[in-house]
Amino acid sequence: MGTNPGGALRFQCPAAGTSPSVTCPRFDRLHERGPSHAAAVDLTDARQRAAHIAAKPRVLTAAPDHKTRDLPKICHQQTVTLHPGVLGHLDKFRQDLAYLSPSWRGTYSTVRAMTGGLNGCLKGHDLDLSDPKIRLAHGRVAQTILVALLVTVANDHFLGAWRHTHQPPDEPDASAETFEIPAEHLDRSPLTGRSRPPPIP
């Protein structure tokens, strides 16, 4: 759902509705939801297994739970409205565009396509970052550093391929230029205390 003209967002409790995404003992207690009736499930069907109530994550409440009057508003009603600014420092995580709406697609589709394309290149045949044989370092820190190095190498490869495709042949490559000091400005005298004595003639 998107925002209203005032920028407010309406949210539903994830344990509410006909297809809840979680189970919550507090919701069951406050809304007097009884145990679900047993139903046959085809264990070979992945959709049926995922849709069963036993496959949903369960919210862990405090033991003993808070008193009813001290519970959040979302526990007393199935939906709440969040106005701009009510979340404090967490307000920066608000997404005012409705998911998969035309405005959402226009804002995020290009970024998502670029991210997906980059992930595909990193997992391609040239540099298969998903292959564990390429990442033999042990430990999370070593793996992170190794992945960062591999992504840097891949990025350099992408830039080189782009220059090869888009840079005219007669245009000099600025990245290949090196700074050279004229010979007359070079001091060829040996460094004091750090060089070998001159050879005996």
Side-chain angles (χ1 to χ4, degrees):
M1 67 186 73
T3 59
N4 62 13
L9 281 168
R10 193 79 174 166
F11 288 97
Q12 183 183 41
C13 173
T18 56
S19 299
S21 57
V22 299
T23 60
C24 178
R26 180 184 296 169
F27 182 90
D28 296 341
R29 174 172 58 85
L30 294 177
H31 297 275
E32 298 180 353
R33 175 186 287 178
S36 59
H37 298 286
V41 177
D42 183 5
L43 296 180
T44 62
D45 189 342
R47 293 190 63 181
Q48 288 191 31
R49 294 199 310 268
H52 194 271
I53 195 68
K56 307 293 183 183
R58 187 163 183 81
V59 177
L60 299 179
T61 58
D65 202 357
H66 300 287
K67 296 181 179 179
T68 302
R69 65 174 182 272
D70 298 330
L71 294 176
K73 185 185 295 185
I74 190 65
C75 293
H76 297 283
Q77 55 196 53
Q78 296 190 10
T79 58
V80 292
T81 302
L82 296 181
H83 299 276
V86 299
L87 297 178
H89 69 283
L90 297 177
D91 204 57
K92 62 183 179 181
F93 296 111
R94 287 169 49 97
Q95 183 172 315
D96 294 332
L97 302 177
Y99 180 63
L100 295 181
S101 65
S103 56
W104 184 93
R105 292 182 186 275
T107 303
Y108 296 107
S109 60
T110 303
V111 178
R112 288 170 62 89
M114 291 178 61
T115 303
L118 179 60
N119 290 338
C121 291
L122 292 175
K123 297 178 181 179
H125 63 280
D126 291 335
L127 179 66
D128 191 0
L129 193 61
S130 61
D131 187 359
K133 296 179 182 178
I134 297 178
R135 301 177 282 102
L136 296 178
H138 297 283
R140 181 176 297 179
V141 175
Q143 287 280 329
T144 302
I145 295 175
L146 182 58
V147 168
L149 292 174
L150 291 173
V151 172
T152 302
V153 171
N155 189 42
D156 185 66
H157 173 73
F158 299 152
L159 293 176
W162 185 92
R163 284 197 300 266
H164 179 74
T165 305
H166 296 85
Q167 189 172 15
D170 54 347
E171 182 179 336
D173 189 357
S175 63
E177 295 179 358
T178 56
F179 179 73
E180 296 183 359
I181 302 176
E184 58 269 17
H185 295 293
L186 291 176
D187 184 6
R188 299 185 182 277
S189 60
L191 298 176
T192 305
R194 290 194 301 170
S195 62
R196 296 180 180 178
I200 299 175

